[in-house]
Amino acid sequence: MKRLSVFLLMIFISLFLWAQDDTDDFLSDIWEPEDVEMEEYETEPPPPKKFRLKNRTVEFSIANISVDISNSFIAAADIFRNPFYLLWNINDIIKDPVLIYQDKIVIDLDDFFNGFKFNFGAVVMPFSLNFNRHDKWGFGLDIGHVSVMGNVFLSGNMMRLKKIKDDKFGVGAAVFADVGIPVFFHVNELKIKMRPAAYVPILYAEPNVIYTGKNVKEGTYLKIDYNMRIYSLVDLNDGILKGLQDNAWDIPRNNMGYDFRLGMEYPLDYGLDLGVDIVNIPVPFAAAKLNHYSQINGKAVLDTSSIDLADLTNDGMNMEDVFDYNYEYKSGYDSKGKNIYRPFVMLFYANYRPFDTRVFSLIPSLGFSINWLYPQIFSLEGGLSACFDFANIFILVPGINYNDHQWKNSIDFVLNLRAFELDFGLSMQSQDFIKSFRGAGLGVNFGLKFGW
């Protein structure tokens, strides 16, 4: 009996020690020392630990969606009362919904005739898997990510009939699907992030409308040339679903392309990290291709120098000499195919912690993009964001940035409970800086993450 009692006591002690070790591992996983320079450990005792939730080792990301739309002409504030008024008078508005609108709705048509711009976009990321080993290295798998982007630009020169040569505008749009493998690791203190990806363009169109206005003789000569090709993965005349079924096995060989994302980040000192993100770097000789196309081309010409008042009075004028218009539509298959590249972005940034703590940091950025979906393919990008990080549990990121040819005033929220994370963000945006604060566009993003 004594032997049995001693044996049970030894088992109990071993279980207690095992539990203690497991508890220590768990506590070390969520409590960490204050951030200090390593040299301090040589002359001072280790600082007290503080609570901060660690990043997940294994993470499943599902239902990540973002949608945005914007324009340069009309804003919500031009039509609706401000949100504070609506909240304060909610009871009166329920009785009389007309109170939602401004007393006087004033829309400045000059904003339209100076050039109209409209953007739309959406990203759907149904599933991602990531593995993170103590923030030292990690890898993942992104499956079935789909991005939709497009813009409409009407030239102010054309709408005001100004004298100019070869002013380009039009409609640009694209739909891409991709599979990627994100990877990160450290080389000493330098953090390197990579994401090689295979992508397939589903739909692609570049703006290609040319306006020319000039003086001729005693009048004005105005011409609009348009030649727009909408490239597609399958023949649109046969239907998308049928085309995908008939060509599913040929898509990886004939249409798939490859690019990759590269990021580097270096801690210059305790309070400052410097980094760069380079997005959609094309792989040489591995661009995606599209062969099916639908083409719309034609021209419209107005030549007022051909107007003769005498012939006009006598009904003898041929109006085709004054105004000419033709239009042609065709679809076909281009055996050579068109190379399709995704928009390229290079962005330098800093993560500056002015108070020597991760609770608050400033994130300025500056870079450029090259996007063939816009009439002006080159654009500067950048801005300033702030990050309020409370123990990696609640994170708030407001910012004012110029990305994708538009100003975005955004605020993002992260609620991280280790096993579960909710990401949510809102933005007001516009191609015009002032209108971006007046609600000329809206963006929403939402995502869920699980793991441990």
Side-chain angles (χ1 to χ4, degrees), residues 199 256-260 280-288 339 341:
Y199 69 97
M256 185 175 291
Y258 302 89
D259 59 19
F260 66 98
N280 297 335
I281 304 171
V283 177
F285 312 111
N339 290 340
Y341 300 96

Side-chain angles (χ1 to χ4, degrees), residues 103-217:
D103 291 332
K104 294 182 179 180
I105 298 177
V106 179
I107 298 175
D108 190 352
L109 289 177
D110 284 341
D111 291 341
F112 182 77
F113 287 103
N114 285 332
F116 174 74
K117 298 177 182 179
F118 175 82
N119 278 62
F120 60 91
V123 178
V124 179
M125 298 182 288
F127 179 79
S128 293
L129 169 65
N130 289 290
F131 176 81
N132 178 352
R133 183 61 177 173
H134 300 311
D135 293 331
K136 299 298 182 182
W137 59 272
F139 62 91
L141 177 63
D142 300 332
I143 298 177
H145 290 192
V146 177
S147 57
V148 180
M149 60 197 76
N151 72 93
V152 178
F153 174 43
L154 299 181
S155 168
N157 293 319
M158 177 202 68
M159 300 176 75
R160 290 181 174 273
L161 304 180
K162 288 186 176 181
K163 311 301 184 294
I164 194 171
K165 181 180 179 181
D166 297 341
D167 186 20
K168 188 176 181 180
F169 62 98
V171 178
V175 180
F176 295 101
D178 85 343
V179 175
I181 304 176
V183 177
F184 80 90
F185 56 92
H186 285 79
V187 178
N188 295 325
E189 294 185 332
L190 178 65
K191 182 178 181 180
I192 299 176
K193 299 173 291 183
M194 299 183 66
R195 186 186 184 270
Y199 69 97
V200 174
I202 300 173
L203 198 70
Y204 186 84
E206 295 178 1
N208 193 18
V209 180
I210 307 296
Y211 165 75
T212 298
K214 59 183 179 180
N215 292 324
V216 289
K217 297 179 182 178

